[in-house]
Every structure is written in structure tokens, then in C-alpha cells.
Amino acid sequence: MASSEGFLTEEQRQKLKIASQNVESLGFSSSPKSPTYLLSEYSIKAPPASGGGGKAASAGIAVKHVRRSHSGKCVRVKKDGAGGKGTWGKLLDTDGESHLDRNDPNYDSGEEPYQLVGTSVSDPLDDYKKAVASLIEEYFSNGDVELAASDLREQGSSGYLPYFIKRLVSMAMDRHDKEKEMASVLLSALYADVISPDQIQDGFFMLLESADDLAVDILDAVDILALFLARAVVDDIIPPAFLNRAKKGLPESSKGVQAIQIADKSYLSAPHHAELVERKWGGSTHITVEEVKKKIADLLREYVESGDTIEACRCIRELGVSFFHHEVVKRALVLAMEIRTAEPLIFKLLKEAAEEGLISSSQMVKGFSRLADSLDDLALDIPSAKTLFQSLVPKAISEGWLDASFAKPSGEDGVVPDDTKVRRFKEECVTIIHEYFLSDDIPELIQSLVDLGVPEYNPIFLKKLITLAMDRKNREKEMASVLLSSLHSEIFSSDDIANGFLLLLESAEDTALDILDASNELALFLARAVIDDVLVPHNLEEMSCKLPPDSSGSETLRMARALLSARHAGERILRCWGGGTGWAVEDAKDKILKLLEEYESGGVVGEACQCIRDLGMPFFNHEVVKKALVMAMEKKNDRILDLLQECFTEGLITINQMTKGFTRIKDGLDDLALDIPNAEEKFNFYLEHAQKKGWLLPSFGSSAPDASLTQAAAS
């Protein structure tokens, strides 16, 4: 039946089964030789049906017909009948190459041959350099430090920050002094906050390595790079030790080594080098308070003479200190009091500035408030100041450019009543402090305070001293710190010092209205007080507990702690104002020892006194007393007592410092006796001499040794 219907015969089925088993045994589960192909390979045909004729043949097995070549070989048929070797191929095959016609309506771009196009891979470092170059150009044009810092953060790639430093300095080196100063200011602002100290050093080392290349394009590249190095050291963004480390990593003949040598010898070794380096490029880009006040005073004087309101407003606008416009208001009102005929012009200017929005309402109120708070001092120069101020306020309110809320319920003139005694004390303090800044005479100042006889107001004096110093130059700031150390050892208690600084911190926001950089300056004064042992770190913690956490005073305390926690904080803070002592304690002790040795070997008393005076450390003169007494014991030369007598007579060493020096010797007698066996006897002799000459406080006599020892020492 199978054969009659054109199916495989039993013999054919057997061959197919054997063939399939052979393929599977070879491991080809999906062999290209399918069963259908095997049929064709074995030339299997369906047998003709017994009665079907031609139809039986066509109704045979379902097998693809095999195309054969004329050679009789069996060839596999390709897809679409293209044939293989020895076949005719596809119907449309031609010998020529086929071309695509893009104008053909049936054109398909996907049929176009692929073409590989080579592209260069961008270097992330090159991209970073281009981006920061644009950032630096923008900073040089607008001078916005905060914007530059923000943009640099957004750039990411913190590992590339040394390249930013190299790029910033190298671009500034080829520009004017303004850009050089701006570059230094930006580096100081980014230090530790955006760029780590190690990255700063890496960036400068890269600059030193490329100094030879920079010198090709910039003629004075070595000198400029040396100044950038010195400025970085002065700004405390690289340590002085970096210069020696960098020199070891550079070839001796390189321009980088030359830059380091110039920075070290020409800039950092010069007297008052910090101030000189900071002003080498014309001073800070941030205008100082003194300069702002002078410009305001000048423009107001010119306005009173010319009466040109538009020009005066333009000058105020060009100052670019909108947050300091209250100073314009204050000085304008004072000028109106001084020159009565100028009052209409002053009111016209202030009204115009208020209507234009040049001076905001809050700045206007602050200006009036500041003048109201200083009326007592102003009355010394303008006796009718209070009366005049009372007449100015209603006029300003009625004209609409002063907020009516300015009228304070505490008094008709807007001044909060103050105790008369305190007010007089403040006036005396201002006079005493001004005289001290002129004379640098600490003993005279101390005597003046003692004569006032109000030790309970010592914190108020400290506040006044620091406030006046903050608004002056570095010399006065250094003098104020030196004075604090002397006051602490002479007449001020630790509580007086701490309470005075607390008053300053509580009024930090008000102080900032007058002094632009008040917070930073006060933080330095706090840190310096800790370094000088005037305050202890615990005092800072106690102050912090007494201040609101988000206040300006709390922020200043945090800055002071940050300064104290920095590496080599002591030396840096001692030199923060570019003068004064500027030495570590050990350096000062060495200098004292040398001057005493020179005097002991035959020096002149006057010269030795001048050397002690040049030390500039009156609060540390007890060390002179101590070392002088020890030297007299060791050398068995009492000539040194003549030097102490001269210092005491001149007021160079005060009775408090003298007493403190003797006290330190007394406390260390046991240790001193190990080297000088008769130390106690000699000390008793010197003590009796000092008491006869009146060098010591009477309280020291209560602990004096018995007379027998003194007589024995004298004999």
C-alpha cells in the first residue's frame, strides 16, 4: 500500500534510518546534511506506481529535485537559485559591477556599502585644561572669587586640580599686576576648601618643573614665579619647607631652582617681608577699609564744592561696595553738621541716591544708626552734634528717604541711654589707646589705666583696644596683641581677658558694619591670644557656649579654632601681621641669652637695653630677669645686676615683670641647684638686693627667706 501511494519502500526507509543514525553518532545534531539532503545524495527515488503512469512519478516522495551540472556532479543549490560552481547563476546576474542609483525611486540607503571613518579619541586632560582656561579668563574679567570656586567644583576631576594651579599661575604671569594679584587671591580662597594642601604643592612643583619652558615665552618668568612662591608662603598655602623639598627634586641648573633661591633670599628673608610681598603687585584686589573711607570722604568734599549730584552718584556706584553704603550716609551727615551751608546739598544727594535705589533703605537706616551711636564721641568735635542730629532725622523721614521706624522709643535722639561713668571711661580709653599707638609706651599706658581706678571695666578697655586696632594697619594690630600680653601679666586677670573677647564676639555683627574684614581680624586676635598664653583653649569653648550657634561670633570662634589647629600654627600666627615679635619662644630665648652674654663679656649697658627694647616683647621680659640671674650665678659676676637696675630705672622692665622673673627662679631652685650648688645662697643675696632697690612687689617679701641665709650669702 505504501508503494501504491508513492511512499518510500521498506528498503529506502532502511537506508534513511542508517544514514540518520550515522549522522547522530558523529555528534552533529543539526548537521547541514539534513535527511532531505541525504535522500538526494543517495539518489533515492520513489518507485513508479503500478497504475499511475507519469502521475505516479510526480506524486513520489516530497524531495527537492537535485540540479546537476553537465559533468554529472551533484551540486548544492544556492538560495534564490543562484547556483554554485558550474551553474548558470541567477537570472539577473551580470558580469559587471552593480551600481546604486540614488535617483532611483526604489533607492535604499541601507544598500550602500559601509565605510569606516577614523576619529581621534579626546584626552580628558586636554578637555579639562581647555575648560579651566575658559574659567580663568572669566575670573580675570569679573573678579568673582565665589563664582570661580563654584565653577571649579562643578568641573569635577579633582585629580587634575594641580593642572589648574599651573594653568592659573602661568596665565597670570603673562598679564598685568592686577591679574597676578587676582591669581594669588583666588589660590588663597580655594586653599583647603576646594584644593587640598598637597594639590597646591603639586601644582607649584609642576610650575617649577616647567620654569625653563615658561622663560622662553615670558622674559622675567623666573622673577615672577619666585614672587608667586613667596606670596604662597606668606599666604600660608604652602609651607616654607616646601622650597627645600622642591629644590631637591629639580636639576641644579634649572630655572626652577633659580626661582626658589630668589624667593628665599630676596623676598622671604627681607625685614617685614610679608607686607612687602603682599603689596608687590599693588596690594590686595579687595579694597581696604581705609581706602574706602578716604574715597568716600573725597567724593563728598568734591560734591559739596561742585554740587553735581549725578557725578556724585556715579562715584558712589563705582566704589562697588553696596554693603558699605551706610558709611556714605554717616559721613555725609557728619559733613552736613560740620558745614551747615552744605546741609541742603547733602540732603539732595541722599534723597537722589535713595530714589535711584543706589543706597538701600536698610543701608540708610544703618548709616543713621551708626551716627546716633557715635554722637557722644562726635560731640567732642561738634558740641551741638546731638541737637543737629535731632533736627536731621525728622527732615529725612518727612522727605521719605528714611524709614519712619528709625525713631526709637528709647530716646528722642535715637540713642540708647548709657551709664555716665562707663561713657567717660570709654572716652578716656580712646585717648589712652591713641597715645599708645603713637608712643608704643606700655608702662605709661598701664599706669594710666591704674590711675583710672576702675578695674571692673577692664573688659570694656580690651574691647575698645581690639576694635580700634582692627580698623588700623598691621603695626597697630601687632601693638595691640603685645599690649594684651603685658596687661595679662601686669593688671588684667584671665577673666578680664575672656570677658573682653566675649564682648567683641557678641558685637561682631555690628563691628562688621564698620570693618569689612572684622570676622577674620577678630579670629586672628583670638588665635594670637591663645598662642601668647593670654587665653587658654578652654576659654574658647566657654565663649562658644554663651553665643548663639548661627551668630557671627560663633563663626569667628570656629575660624580661630581652625587657625590654631593648622600645622605650625604658632609661628604663622605670631607672624600674621608681618612684624612684632615674629619669633617662636625658643628663638626669643636664644636672642636674650646672646645679648646677655655680649653684655657680660664687656658690653655697654645702654646698648644692652636697646637690644632688649628691640626684642619688642615687653610681656616676656621676665625671661630676661631669669636668664640674667642664672648667668650671674654661673659666671659669679654680679655686674649683670647693673643691667637690671638700668632696665628698671628706664621702665624697660616693670616691677611686675621683675617680680615674675624672681618668682620663676625661686620656683626652679631645686633643679638649678643640680648645676649650681650654691644657687639658693646666691638667689637669697640677689633677692635682698632687689628688695632694697625696690624692684619687687611688696607681696613677694612675705615669702622671703630668713635673714641668716641672706647674710651668709652676702659674706
Side-chain angles (χ1 to χ4, degrees), residues 606-679:
E607 185 178 345
C609 288
Q610 185 59 44
C611 290
I612 295 173
R613 192 176 290 107
D614 290 342
L615 287 174
M617 303 178 72
F619 57 90
F620 202 56
N621 281 344
H622 56 80
E623 183 70 20
V624 177
V625 177
K626 175 189 171 185
K627 286 193 177 296
L629 294 176
V630 171
M631 185 175 291
M633 295 178 188
E634 291 176 339
K635 306 284 186 180
K636 297 181 180 180
N637 184 356
D638 295 340
R639 180 174 178 265
I640 202 105
L641 297 178
D642 296 337
L643 174 61
L644 293 180
Q645 177 62 51
E646 184 66 22
C647 290
F648 183 77
T649 303
E650 290 186 10
L652 185 58
I653 299 180
T654 64
I655 189 171
N656 290 283
Q657 289 290 312
M658 196 73 78
T659 303
K660 190 172 182 179
F662 270 84
T663 302
R664 292 183 62 202
I665 289 288
K666 180 184 176 183
D667 294 340
L669 274 178
D670 292 337
D671 295 333
L672 198 59
L674 299 176
D675 299 320
I676 307 172
N678 64 336

XYZ file of all heavy atoms in Angstrom, residues 606-679:
579
model
N 73.840 100.711 77.933
C 72.884 101.347 77.029
C 72.590 100.503 75.805
O 71.443 100.400 75.359
N 73.623 99.878 75.268
C 73.437 99.024 74.092
C 72.615 97.787 74.438
O 71.761 97.357 73.663
C 74.805 98.622 73.539
C 74.732 97.824 72.246
C 76.101 97.481 71.699
O 77.099 98.088 72.156
O 76.173 96.609 70.816
N 72.885 97.213 75.613
C 72.123 96.030 76.038
C 70.654 96.386 76.235
O 69.756 95.616 75.847
C 72.713 95.466 77.322
N 70.392 97.557 76.816
C 68.997 97.988 76.995
C 68.300 98.169 75.654
O 67.123 97.812 75.490
C 68.954 99.296 77.784
S 69.378 99.112 79.534
N 69.032 98.713 74.686
C 68.446 98.899 73.360
C 68.118 97.556 72.712
O 67.089 97.402 72.052
C 69.407 99.694 72.460
C 68.835 100.048 71.097
C 67.568 100.871 71.199
O 67.480 101.809 71.987
N 66.554 100.516 70.408
N 68.976 96.576 72.916
C 68.713 95.235 72.366
C 67.460 94.624 72.990
O 66.655 93.984 72.296
C 69.917 94.326 72.606
S 71.369 94.743 71.619
N 67.298 94.816 74.303
C 66.092 94.306 74.965
C 64.862 95.008 74.419
O 63.816 94.393 74.171
C 66.196 94.506 76.490
C 67.332 93.657 77.055
C 64.877 94.147 77.175
C 67.629 93.917 78.514
N 65.002 96.327 74.195
C 63.879 97.093 73.644
C 63.547 96.628 72.226
O 62.374 96.533 71.848
C 64.235 98.576 73.657
C 63.065 99.505 73.375
C 63.475 100.961 73.513
N 63.735 101.326 74.915
C 64.954 101.540 75.419
N 66.025 101.427 74.646
N 65.111 101.870 76.679
N 64.567 96.324 71.435
C 64.357 95.883 70.051
C 63.680 94.521 69.963
O 63.115 94.167 68.922
C 65.698 95.839 69.299
C 66.264 97.236 69.042
O 65.484 98.204 69.135
O 67.473 97.340 68.751
N 63.765 93.731 71.027
C 63.069 92.438 71.013
C 61.576 92.630 70.813
O 60.900 91.779 70.238
C 63.308 91.683 72.326
C 64.691 91.066 72.540
C 64.783 90.486 73.939
C 64.976 90.000 71.497
N 61.054 93.755 71.324
C 59.633 94.038 71.154
C 58.728 93.076 71.900
O 57.601 92.813 71.484
N 59.229 92.517 73.011
C 58.437 91.539 73.775
C 58.407 91.935 75.247
O 58.921 91.217 76.110
C 59.031 90.136 73.619
C 59.141 89.678 72.181
S 59.905 88.048 72.017
C 58.592 86.997 72.628
N 57.816 93.075 75.582
C 57.809 93.514 76.987
C 57.119 92.521 77.911
O 57.456 92.434 79.091
C 57.062 94.843 76.931
C 56.262 94.802 75.671
C 57.088 94.009 74.714
N 56.143 91.773 77.379
C 55.449 90.777 78.188
C 56.334 89.576 78.492
O 55.984 88.733 79.325
C 54.190 90.296 77.458
C 54.476 89.738 76.095
C 54.759 88.401 75.917
C 54.480 90.568 74.982
C 55.029 87.892 74.660
C 54.745 90.062 73.721
C 55.031 88.724 73.563
N 57.504 89.491 77.840
C 58.405 88.354 78.010
C 59.701 88.777 78.710
O 60.654 88.015 78.777
C 58.722 87.746 76.642
C 59.176 86.311 76.678
C 58.391 85.334 77.267
C 60.383 85.930 76.122
C 58.798 84.019 77.299
C 60.801 84.614 76.144
C 60.005 83.651 76.734
N 59.711 90.001 79.276
C 60.930 90.500 79.919
C 61.265 89.759 81.200
O 62.394 89.850 81.702
C 60.803 92.003 80.208
C 61.046 92.843 78.968
O 61.582 92.355 77.966
N 60.649 94.106 79.015
N 60.310 89.033 81.757
C 60.632 88.215 82.927
C 61.678 87.163 82.584
O 62.439 86.711 83.441
C 59.368 87.565 83.498
C 58.615 86.745 82.506
N 58.983 85.463 82.164
C 57.495 87.019 81.764
C 58.140 84.970 81.277
N 57.221 85.895 81.011
N 61.714 86.756 81.293
C 62.736 85.805 80.849
C 64.117 86.458 80.882
O 65.120 85.796 81.188
C 62.410 85.315 79.435
C 63.365 84.261 78.894
C 63.234 82.919 79.593
O 62.185 82.675 80.227
O 64.178 82.113 79.502
N 64.189 87.764 80.595
C 65.459 88.494 80.698
C 65.941 88.471 82.143
O 67.130 88.232 82.422
C 65.280 89.952 80.212
C 66.587 90.729 80.380
C 64.831 89.979 78.762
N 65.028 88.739 83.071
C 65.379 88.739 84.501
C 65.876 87.359 84.927
O 66.931 87.221 85.574
C 64.162 89.155 85.353
C 64.500 89.096 86.840
C 63.692 90.546 84.966
N 65.152 86.323 84.541
C 65.517 84.965 84.938
C 66.895 84.582 84.406
O 67.773 84.111 85.142
C 64.459 83.981 84.429
C 64.813 82.525 84.691
C 63.856 81.579 83.985
C 64.369 80.145 84.092
N 63.541 79.199 83.325
N 67.114 84.797 83.099
C 68.387 84.396 82.494
C 69.542 85.247 83.018
O 70.680 84.761 83.143
C 68.297 84.487 80.970
C 67.462 83.369 80.350
C 67.646 83.294 78.855
C 66.863 82.126 78.274
N 67.362 80.809 78.759
N 69.250 86.513 83.321
C 70.300 87.369 83.872
C 70.741 86.858 85.244
O 71.951 86.795 85.541
C 69.796 88.809 83.971
N 69.806 86.463 86.094
C 70.149 85.953 87.427
C 70.891 84.623 87.340
O 71.854 84.384 88.081
C 68.875 85.802 88.263
C 68.141 87.105 88.608
C 66.839 86.800 89.349
C 69.024 88.021 89.451
N 70.447 83.740 86.437
C 71.130 82.448 86.272
C 72.561 82.667 85.795
O 73.511 82.019 86.269
C 70.351 81.548 85.291
C 71.158 80.302 84.953
C 69.005 81.160 85.874
N 72.740 83.594 84.850
C 74.079 83.881 84.337
C 74.968 84.461 85.428
O 76.166 84.128 85.521
C 73.987 84.850 83.148
C 75.322 85.116 82.478
S 75.163 86.132 80.992
C 74.314 84.982 79.906
N 74.412 85.338 86.274
C 75.196 85.902 87.374
C 75.654 84.805 88.333
O 76.775 84.839 88.859
C 74.366 86.944 88.114
N 74.777 83.784 88.555
C 75.154 82.673 89.427
C 76.250 81.825 88.792
O 77.204 81.405 89.459
C 73.936 81.795 89.717
C 72.834 82.470 90.525
S 71.416 81.346 90.741
C 70.223 82.440 91.489
N 76.096 81.532 87.495
C 77.059 80.664 86.812
C 78.414 81.339 86.658
O 79.456 80.730 86.892
C 76.518 80.272 85.443
C 75.318 79.347 85.489
C 74.750 79.061 84.113
O 75.017 79.863 83.175
O 74.044 78.046 83.964
N 78.419 82.593 86.233
C 79.666 83.304 85.956
C 80.274 83.919 87.217
O 81.400 84.419 87.181
C 79.405 84.416 84.942
C 78.720 83.955 83.656
C 79.665 83.233 82.737
C 78.990 82.927 81.395
N 79.892 82.215 80.463
N 79.493 83.942 88.302
C 79.923 84.589 89.544
C 80.323 86.035 89.271
O 81.345 86.525 89.744
C 81.086 83.819 90.168
C 80.720 82.400 90.568
C 81.880 81.676 91.209
C 81.476 80.250 91.605
N 82.600 79.510 92.230
N 79.471 86.688 88.461
C 79.732 88.064 88.066
C 78.465 88.868 88.341
O 77.467 88.741 87.635
C 80.105 88.128 86.579
C 80.487 89.528 86.139
O 80.406 90.491 86.916
N 80.926 89.643 84.890
N 78.520 89.694 89.369
C 77.341 90.456 89.764
C 77.157 91.717 88.932
O 76.246 92.509 89.196
C 77.432 90.828 91.251
C 77.402 89.588 92.147
O 76.942 88.536 91.658
O 77.838 89.686 93.303
N 78.006 91.900 87.907
C 77.879 93.077 87.044
C 76.531 93.101 86.335
O 76.023 94.151 85.969
C 79.021 93.063 86.026
C 79.012 94.233 85.044
C 80.274 94.203 84.187
N 80.260 95.287 83.219
C 79.838 95.173 81.969
N 79.401 94.000 81.542
N 79.853 96.202 81.150
N 75.952 91.928 86.151
C 74.684 91.834 85.432
C 73.565 92.530 86.192
O 72.553 92.924 85.594
C 74.328 90.345 85.186
C 73.345 90.207 84.008
C 73.725 89.722 86.400
C 73.974 89.710 82.787
N 73.749 92.702 87.533
C 72.731 93.398 88.314
C 72.635 94.865 87.909
O 71.569 95.479 88.042
C 73.037 93.281 89.809
C 73.019 91.868 90.406
C 73.382 91.909 91.878
C 71.657 91.219 90.215
N 73.750 95.418 87.410
C 73.730 96.809 86.945
C 72.789 96.961 85.745
O 72.114 97.984 85.603
C 75.139 97.259 86.568
C 76.084 97.272 87.766
O 75.569 97.369 88.900
O 77.307 97.169 87.549
N 72.787 95.923 84.886
C 71.893 95.963 83.724
C 70.432 95.941 84.178
O 69.598 96.697 83.668
C 72.181 94.779 82.790
C 71.218 94.602 81.603
C 71.255 95.818 80.683
C 71.566 93.332 80.820
N 70.108 95.090 85.155
C 68.734 95.025 85.651
C 68.325 96.344 86.298
O 67.184 96.788 86.152
C 68.590 93.870 86.648
C 68.747 92.450 86.072
C 68.578 91.416 87.185
C 67.746 92.198 84.957
N 69.268 96.958 86.996
C 68.966 98.241 87.617
C 68.656 99.309 86.569
O 67.694 100.074 86.707
C 70.158 98.697 88.469
C 69.984 100.067 89.125
C 68.814 100.095 90.104
O 68.722 99.234 90.969
N 67.928 101.080 89.977
N 69.425 99.331 85.487
C 69.200 100.310 84.423
C 67.861 100.064 83.729
O 67.120 101.007 83.430
C 70.342 100.241 83.412
C 70.273 101.282 82.299
C 70.438 102.699 82.819
O 71.008 102.881 83.905
O 69.981 103.639 82.114
N 67.558 98.801 83.485
C 66.275 98.459 82.844
C 65.099 98.885 83.724
O 64.079 99.372 83.223
C 66.201 96.960 82.571
S 67.312 96.390 81.268
N 65.229 98.686 85.027
C 64.157 99.063 85.944
C 64.023 100.585 86.024
O 62.908 101.123 86.045
C 64.420 98.474 87.327
C 63.329 98.748 88.317
C 62.143 98.024 88.279
C 63.468 99.741 89.283
C 61.124 98.275 89.185
C 62.452 100.004 90.191
C 61.277 99.262 90.140
N 65.156 101.273 86.052
C 65.135 102.733 86.139
C 64.483 103.349 84.907
O 63.718 104.319 85.002
C 66.567 103.281 86.300
O 67.168 102.692 87.463
C 66.558 104.799 86.447
N 64.782 102.796 83.730
C 64.220 103.305 82.474
C 62.755 102.902 82.291
O 62.089 103.410 81.391
C 65.027 102.793 81.276
C 66.415 103.390 81.152
C 67.091 102.957 79.865
O 66.398 102.351 79.001
O 68.298 103.205 79.719
N 62.273 101.962 83.102
C 60.918 101.451 82.913
C 60.843 100.395 81.826
O 59.750 100.002 81.396
N 62.019 99.939 81.385
C 62.057 98.913 80.341
C 61.530 97.584 80.874
O 60.811 96.854 80.184
C 63.495 98.768 79.831
C 63.731 97.832 78.659
C 62.909 98.252 77.454
C 65.223 97.812 78.289
N 61.902 97.268 82.123
C 61.370 96.074 82.798
C 60.542 96.563 83.981
O 61.066 97.210 84.893
C 62.494 95.139 83.275
C 63.322 94.655 82.077
C 61.911 93.937 84.018
C 64.464 93.732 82.454
N 59.262 96.262 83.961
C 58.356 96.747 85.008
C 58.528 95.934 86.280
O 59.143 94.853 86.292
C 56.900 96.644 84.547
O 56.575 95.262 84.363
C 56.683 97.390 83.243
N 57.965 96.454 87.372
C 58.055 95.770 88.652
C 57.353 94.413 88.605
O 57.785 93.451 89.244
C 57.464 96.670 89.775
C 57.757 96.070 91.159
C 55.963 96.860 89.575
C 57.393 97.006 92.303
N 56.293 94.310 87.807
C 55.591 93.023 87.680
C 56.446 92.000 86.950
O 56.511 90.832 87.339
C 54.267 93.221 86.944
C 53.252 93.987 87.763
O 52.639 93.451 88.670
N 53.075 95.269 87.446
N 57.097 92.433 85.861
C 57.963 91.520 85.122
C 59.173 91.134 85.967
O 59.631 89.989 85.921
C 58.411 92.181 83.813
C 57.314 92.322 82.778
C 56.896 90.978 82.210
O 57.727 90.165 81.824
N 55.588 90.743 82.148
N 59.700 92.080 86.730
C 60.838 91.783 87.604
C 60.427 90.753 88.658
O 61.148 89.776 88.922
C 61.324 93.071 88.265
C 62.708 92.976 88.879
S 64.052 92.940 87.672
C 64.170 94.677 87.231
N 59.271 90.975 89.274
C 58.776 90.040 90.291
C 58.540 88.653 89.700
O 58.868 87.629 90.322
C 57.463 90.568 90.905
O 57.693 91.869 91.455
C 56.949 89.642 91.991
N 57.985 88.627 88.489
C 57.719 87.335 87.840
C 59.018 86.593 87.553
O 59.101 85.361 87.701
C 56.935 87.562 86.540
C 56.400 86.300 85.911
C 55.473 86.629 84.745
C 54.890 85.361 84.141
N 53.974 85.664 83.010
N 60.065 87.331 87.134
C 61.352 86.696 86.870
C 61.956 86.089 88.124
O 62.455 84.948 88.107
N 61.916 86.835 89.244
C 62.434 86.306 90.506
C 61.605 85.104 90.970
O 62.147 84.135 91.517
C 62.424 87.408 91.573
C 63.694 88.211 91.619
C 63.891 89.271 90.758
C 64.699 87.897 92.512
C 65.063 90.021 90.795
C 65.882 88.627 92.568
C 66.073 89.694 91.701
N 60.290 85.172 90.752
C 59.417 84.054 91.158
C 59.768 82.783 90.393
O 59.798 81.682 90.967
C 57.939 84.420 90.912
O 57.613 85.602 91.645
C 57.026 83.289 91.343
N 60.064 82.925 89.117
C 60.411 81.742 88.309
C 61.727 81.127 88.779
O 61.880 79.900 88.779
C 60.488 82.130 86.833
C 59.128 82.503 86.238
C 59.256 82.798 84.758
N 59.727 81.624 84.049
C 60.336 81.673 82.849
N 60.531 82.847 82.267
N 60.748 80.581 82.265
N 62.687 81.985 89.174
C 63.950 81.457 89.700
C 63.704 80.713 91.014
O 64.213 79.607 91.239
C 64.960 82.602 89.931
C 65.460 83.142 88.591
C 66.145 82.110 90.770
C 66.404 82.231 87.853
N 62.881 81.324 91.857
C 62.584 80.711 93.153
C 61.920 79.345 92.986
O 62.267 78.374 93.675
C 61.678 81.640 93.961
C 61.302 81.104 95.331
C 60.331 82.043 96.026
C 59.884 81.456 97.354
N 58.876 82.304 98.032
N 60.986 79.275 92.022
C 60.277 78.004 91.796
C 61.191 76.928 91.227
O 60.912 75.734 91.375
C 59.093 78.231 90.845
C 58.021 79.119 91.467
O 58.004 79.231 92.707
O 57.213 79.699 90.695
N 62.253 77.329 90.559
C 63.132 76.339 89.927
C 64.454 76.151 90.640
O 65.409 75.617 90.047
N 64.533 76.567 91.899
C 65.807 76.473 92.628
C 66.295 75.038 92.787
O 67.500 74.764 92.707
C 65.664 77.138 94.007
C 65.910 78.648 94.063
C 65.682 79.172 95.478
C 67.323 78.987 93.589
N 65.395 74.108 92.998
C 65.808 72.712 93.198
C 66.521 72.176 91.959
O 67.557 71.506 92.063
C 64.590 71.851 93.528
C 64.005 72.189 94.890
O 64.758 72.732 95.726
O 62.799 71.933 95.108
N 65.956 72.449 90.803
C 66.603 71.994 89.569
C 67.899 72.760 89.323
O 68.889 72.193 88.842
C 65.653 72.194 88.380
C 64.414 71.313 88.488
O 64.509 70.248 89.127
O 63.355 71.699 87.935
N 67.884 74.029 89.634
C 69.059 74.857 89.393
C 70.226 74.430 90.276
O 71.403 74.513 89.874
C 68.703 76.324 89.659
C 69.629 77.402 89.091
C 69.743 77.292 87.584
C 69.115 78.782 89.471
N 69.923 73.936 91.477
C 70.971 73.519 92.414
C 71.761 72.318 91.909
O 72.885 72.064 92.378
C 70.355 73.206 93.779
N 71.213 71.567 90.956
C 71.944 70.432 90.400
C 73.157 70.896 89.618
O 74.179 70.194 89.551
C 71.011 69.613 89.492
C 69.775 68.996 90.168
C 68.895 68.313 89.129
C 70.201 68.009 91.254
N 73.068 72.069 89.002
C 74.184 72.613 88.225
C 74.982 73.650 89.009
O 76.190 73.820 88.798
C 73.656 73.256 86.932
C 72.934 72.256 86.042
O 73.416 71.119 85.943
O 71.894 72.622 85.449
N 74.290 74.370 89.878
C 74.955 75.415 90.672
C 74.691 75.088 92.143
O 73.614 75.401 92.678
C 74.406 76.813 90.320
C 74.479 77.050 88.810
C 75.154 77.896 91.075
C 73.796 78.320 88.351
N 75.627 74.464 92.816
C 75.378 74.002 94.191
C 74.945 75.101 95.156
O 74.123 74.864 96.042
C 76.733 73.404 94.605
C 77.369 73.004 93.306
C 76.942 74.043 92.312
N 75.499 76.309 94.991
C 75.149 77.389 95.918
C 74.073 78.304 95.344
O 74.010 79.492 95.672
C 76.397 78.206 96.269
C 76.979 78.925 95.049
O 76.751 78.495 93.920
N 77.717 79.996 95.287
N 73.213 77.750 94.493
C 72.197 78.552 93.815
C 71.265 79.239 94.816
O 70.927 80.412 94.660
C 71.393 77.669 92.865
